Amino acid sequence: MHFMADDQIQDNKLQLLGKLTASLVHEIRNPLSAIKLNLDYLKMLDEELSDEVNESINDSSEAVERIQFLVENLLSFSRKKNSDVVMVDINEITKNAVSILKGELQKRNIELRFNLNNLIPSVFFDANKLLQVFLNLITNAMESSNPKGIIKITSGINPEDGTKVFWEVEDNGTGISEENKKKIFQEFYTSKNMGTGLGLSVCKMLVEEHNASITFDSILGKGTKFIVSFNSNISRG
Ligand SMILES: Nc1ncnc2c1ncn2[C@@H]1O[C@H](COP(=O)(O)OP(=O)(O)OP(=O)(O)O)[C@@H](O)[C@H]1O
Ligand SMILES: [Mg+2]
């Protein structure tokens, strides 16, 4: 009789979760397309409708498009298809991530500041997976922020080593206690009512899949910084 290692149990859980996600996503797709089609139909009637109604239709349509995008992303993620690793511009992916989260950031009255270095080389990564990592990390930063909080996103080359590209997201939100620092990368660990506790586990998995690493610095009550370091890509470029 074999006893499964903790790691193995967690892997199985993740696999199962992947399957559940895939079937859920599949079920969400069709009704979502139906909503989109109906909204598109309403858009064609715009001349007969008031400005207010047209605005609602457009807002709804944009929201549906965002859900569609997220759902497609989840689907390609849970399919576990072969990675499509190419040279990606991390600044570009940052902008994609931010445009997806823009509405939510505005709603929460959070200010974004960028310090993106345009001279950094591309990195080898699956673009969708990197987007997923950035979305998770920026979302966490957002969820820990107070209204009027500030989130800074920085990209650059590690000054100490001169070759490694790094990407950081820093918030001035709640911070993480010493005790919780040990737990945050554990699957299903969450301090949020609606959290699944999988965001960081997924980030870590995706980043390590690409020979990159993820670290963080946090002071309780002051804020948190997550750093993704991309490895040995420059010589391959
Ligand atoms: N920027 C941050 N500031 C403060 N705490 C954080 C930050 N990022 C992560 N954490 C802590 O780490 C926990 C785990 O994060 P993770 O992204 O894995 O899950 P979650 O955000 O709780 O849920 P999910 O991402 O699945 O919606 C969070 O619940 C929170 O306690
Ligand atoms: Mg999260």
Side-chain angles (χ1 to χ4, degrees):
M1 171 128 177
H2 285 287
F3 289 98
M4 271 193 273
D6 269 4
D7 282 2
Q8 219 171 333
I9 295 172
Q10 293 293 16
D11 276 0
N12 290 338
K13 278 191 191 163
L14 277 182
Q15 244 174 37
L16 182 66
L17 206 69
K19 276 190 193 158
L20 286 174
T21 308
S23 62
L24 184 67
V25 160
H26 188 248
E27 295 309 308
I28 291 174
R29 259 176 154 183
N30 291 336
L32 205 58
S33 309
I35 297 174
K36 185 74 173 55
L37 268 171
N38 280 305
L39 288 169
D40 287 344
Y41 172 69
L42 287 174
K43 272 189 189 173
M44 294 194 298
L45 307 177
D46 61 344
E47 279 173 11
E48 296 163 41
L49 302 169
S50 72
D51 286 353
E52 240 172 32
V53 171
N54 280 322
E55 200 180 319
S56 299
I57 293 170
N58 280 331
D59 286 352
S60 307
S61 189
E62 272 172 33
V64 168
E65 275 166 26
R66 240 177 70 203
I67 300 172
Q68 275 181 325
F69 179 83
L70 290 170
V71 160
E72 290 308 319
N73 250 333
L74 260 182
L75 195 65
S76 66
F77 177 65
S78 57
R79 253 187 225 128
K80 228 184 170 204
K81 61 163 187 187
N82 292 335
S83 277
D84 190 8
V85 179
V86 291
M87 299 274 271
V88 294
D89 177 347
I90 65 175
N91 295 332
E92 198 65 38
I93 309 267
T94 303
K95 283 170 201 154
N96 291 349
V98 167
S99 83
I100 292 169
L101 299 174
K102 201 175 57 195
E104 193 61 32
L105 286 159
Q106 272 167 7
K107 212 164 77 188
R108 291 171 185 250
N109 215 342
I110 294 169
E111 186 192 332
L112 262 187
R113 291 188 190 160
F114 296 98
N115 190 2
L116 302 178
N117 181 339
N118 287 322
L119 301 175
I120 52 172
S122 300
V123 302
F124 275 98
F125 223 100
D126 181 315
N128 268 322
K129 291 183 176 177
L130 192 57
L131 178 67
Q132 190 117 24
V133 171
F134 288 177
L135 283 173
N136 273 319
L137 295 179
I138 301 169
T139 301
N140 280 348
M142 187 168 80
E143 288 170 347
S144 85
S145 292
N146 308 307
K148 295 202 178 147
I150 297 167
I151 295 178
K152 294 179 193 158
I153 303 179
T154 307
S155 67
I157 294 178
N158 187 333
E160 276 165 34
D161 121 315
T163 58
K164 281 182 189 161
V165 172
F166 72 87
W167 181 94
E168 297 174 348
V169 56
E170 182 176 5
D171 63 66
N172 61 353
T174 58
I176 305 169
S177 71
E178 290 307 313
E179 197 192 335
N180 289 341
K181 281 182 183 174
K182 295 177 208 135
K183 303 182 192 158
I184 59 165
F185 282 106
Q186 287 171 11
E187 281 114 10
F188 307 113
Y189 170 75
T190 180
S191 60
K192 301 168 191 170
N193 289 333
M194 299 293 283
T196 66
L198 283 171
L200 285 178
S201 316
V202 166
C203 286
K204 194 164 162 36
M205 177 179 82
L206 295 179
V207 158
E208 287 177 356
E209 221 175 78
H210 291 81
N211 276 325
S213 64
I214 180 167
T215 53
F216 70 99
D217 261 322
S218 184
I219 300 174
L220 190 62
K222 290 245 187 267
T224 307
K225 185 199 290 196
F226 274 87
I227 305 132
V228 181
S229 304
F230 300 88
N231 255 322
S232 64
N233 289 319
I234 290 174
S235 55
R236 290 169 67 187

